[in-house]
Amino acid sequence: GAVVSQHPSWVICKSGTSVKIECRSLDFQATTMFWYRQFPKQSLMLMATSNEGSKATYEQGVEKDKFLINHASLTLSTLTVTSAHPEDSSFYICSATVPGGRYGYTFGSGTRLTVV
Amino acid sequence: QQQVKQSPQSLIVQKGGISIINCAYENTAFDYFPWYQQFPGKGPALLIAIRPDVSEKKEGRFTISFNKSAKQFSLHIMDSQPGDSATYFCAASIAGTASKLTFGTGTRLQVTL
């Protein structure tokens, strides 16, 4: 089946620093990747959609300068939280898909970010 | 128009019972309806998905019932087990997997002994 690897699984950083989260499709080429944010006991909130080789499309209300997304290859997308603040603490999840593909949307295992 | 409404918010079922979670959508352009299971601290995992050309799909203990005219779909978990205790999300997308998923609000299922 399709596997998406997300790294790191958890990270603690100091306020004002930047953190990079990686999302890799291990056994398929993901033309499209999605980044979500999830608060405790809430649903997934889509932050942005990224297509390989093009700029990410951000959802309304998501600061593109704060959440930098790069999808440089068909197997790797990164989310960088810049100048992190405690309110950025959350669970971040990536998802990858191949339009019309057999396995639909495959999700990573998520990254717990804590900003102190 | 992009919303997917999910109910109930939480559900307690005895072991061996049937768990039923319902979702309703508004956008008739949706054509892919997956259900995801999520354990604490993990990403969602696909359970089962359906397209609007069928009214029911069964995989093991999991069944999706789909009512196109009512714009509703539901997940039935037969013979519920304690290991099924998790949060379940319905979702919908347009054009299969080519576009973003719209998620329901989630249902926390607890299966008791």
Side-chain angles (χ1 to χ4, degrees):
Chain A
V3 178
V4 171
S5 174
Q6 189 172 339
H7 179 81
S9 56
W10 60 271
V11 58
I12 301 173
C13 71
K14 291 185 177 180
S15 186
T17 62
S18 296
V19 174
K20 180 183 286 187
I21 302 170
E22 291 189 349
C23 180
R24 293 180 184 272
S25 56
L26 298 185
D27 50 2
F28 67 104
Q29 294 184 323
T31 51
T32 305
M33 288 188 174
F34 305 89
W35 287 93
Y36 296 85
R37 185 173 182 177
Q38 187 178 34
F39 291 106
K41 298 183 181 181
Q42 292 190 21
S43 188
L44 285 76
M45 181 187 76
L46 180 66
M47 300 174 65
T49 302
S50 73
N51 292 292
E52 184 266 338
S54 60
K55 289 185 178 180
T57 301
Y58 290 81
E59 294 297 301
Q60 191 173 7
V62 177
E63 299 176 60
K64 58 182 67 178
D65 293 332
K66 180 166 191 62
F67 299 100
L68 300 179
I69 292 172
N70 183 281
H71 192 165
S73 76
L74 286 172
T75 59
L76 175 64
S77 177
T78 60
L79 166 67
T80 302
V81 182
T82 63
S83 186
H85 291 283
E87 56 265 32
D88 299 324
S89 299
S90 190
F91 192 55
Y92 293 88
I93 310 170
C94 70
S95 172
T97 186
V98 176
R102 177 180 176 185
Y103 298 107
Y105 303 82
T106 303
F107 286 81
S109 55
T111 297
R112 171 73 59 194
L113 170 63
T114 302
V115 185
V116 298
Chain B
Q1 195 175 18
Q2 290 290 327
Q3 286 186 330
V4 176
K5 296 181 180 179
Q6 184 171 347
S7 63
Q9 187 174 7
S10 63
L11 182 62
I12 300 175
V13 173
Q14 278 195 325
K15 179 182 176 182
I18 302 173
S19 303
I20 301 174
I21 305 170
N22 301 298
C23 282
Y25 62 97
E26 299 172 1
N27 190 343
T28 56
F30 286 142
D31 63 357
Y32 176 70
F33 303 90
W35 283 90
Y36 290 90
Q37 178 189 58
Q38 185 181 31
F39 292 103
K42 301 295 183 183
L46 178 65
L47 271 178
I48 186 171
I50 198 168
R51 296 189 186 270
D53 52 344
V54 296
S55 60
E56 185 175 281
K57 183 176 181 180
K58 182 177 180 179
E59 290 185 2
R61 296 186 294 112
F62 302 97
T63 300
I64 296 180
S65 296
F66 185 81
N67 186 329
K68 188 174 181 178
S69 60
K71 292 186 286 184
Q72 296 175 347
F73 60 110
S74 61
L75 175 69
H76 290 63
I77 305 175
M78 312 300 288
D79 187 26
S80 298
Q81 299 296 313
D84 296 330
S85 297
T87 299
Y88 293 81
F89 293 96
C90 63
S93 69
I94 299 172
T97 57
S99 67
K100 61 185 179 183
L101 276 170
T102 299
F103 278 89
T105 49
T107 297
R108 299 185 75 188
L109 171 65
Q110 182 181 355
V111 181
T112 61
L113 293 172

